[in-house]
Amino acid sequence: MGVWGALAGCCGGGPSHKCDFTPPTTEMDAASDGPQPCGTEICQPPQVCCLKKIAPFAICIDAKDYVADACEMIPKDPPPCAVPTDCDGGTVCCLQVTAQAISCQPPPLCPGDGVDTYLTCGSDLDCPSQQAGSCKNVGTGTAGVTLDVCAP
């Protein structure tokens, strides 16, 4: 329930909060941003999240190294979602607690570890384990939107 309380604004009455995952143009830009979820890490300014197609898939790096490290461009405005079928292109529907957002994200940015990220689900089959009871309801928002997440 604590997760849902932190996200009431994302699924209901308040304005949606979104993270900007585009690389900062200067170190000063990075310093002005807050902590940024990045796979299993949280990047602290002036670091940014670097996404790659090979392991490690998501790591925190200095902003000045973004291009040199051949980081993938992360979508600036990921589409909102409620269930996995809302996402396409290999993205997952991700609840990011720190960012207070629910959006389609590349899998490396949403490990679903239960620390800062959770995978949303419509049924147990949407969860990595696909075990009975793995898709758990965490509440209903002010707009009547029900949120279910995979147990980590």
Side-chain angles (χ1 to χ4, degrees):
M1 284 305 246
V3 169
W4 183 251
L7 293 170
C10 295
C11 294
S16 181
H17 297 88
K18 295 181 181 176
C19 279
D20 180 4
F21 288 106
T22 56
T25 55
T26 67
E27 285 191 37
M28 189 53 127
D29 287 345
S32 64
D33 292 336
Q36 181 184 57
C38 182
T40 58
E41 301 178 41
I42 302 289
C43 301
Q44 297 295 331
Q47 291 193 318
V48 294
C49 187
C50 175
L51 250 191
K52 294 188 165 218
K53 291 182 181 173
I54 57 172
F57 298 104
I59 57 171
C60 296
I61 63 166
D62 290 334
K64 64 180 177 48
D65 297 329
Y66 196 87
V67 174
D69 286 353
C71 299
E72 298 287 326
M73 293 302 292
I74 301 168
K76 183 174 178 160
D77 293 318
C81 58
V83 292
T85 55
D86 293 341
C87 299
D88 58 6
T91 59
V92 296
C93 187
C94 183
L95 164 69
Q96 294 173 303
V97 178
T98 301
Q100 295 185 6
I102 302 174
S103 61
C104 298
Q105 294 289 334
L109 289 182
C110 189
D113 56 11
V115 175
D116 187 56
T117 63
Y118 294 84
L119 297 171
T120 68
C121 53
S123 75
D124 294 332
L125 296 177
D126 292 331
C127 296
S129 71
Q130 295 188 341
Q131 293 181 6
S134 57
C135 184
K136 306 234 181 240
N137 181 273
V138 292
T140 303
T142 56
V145 176
T146 300
L147 182 63
D148 298 324
V149 299
C150 296

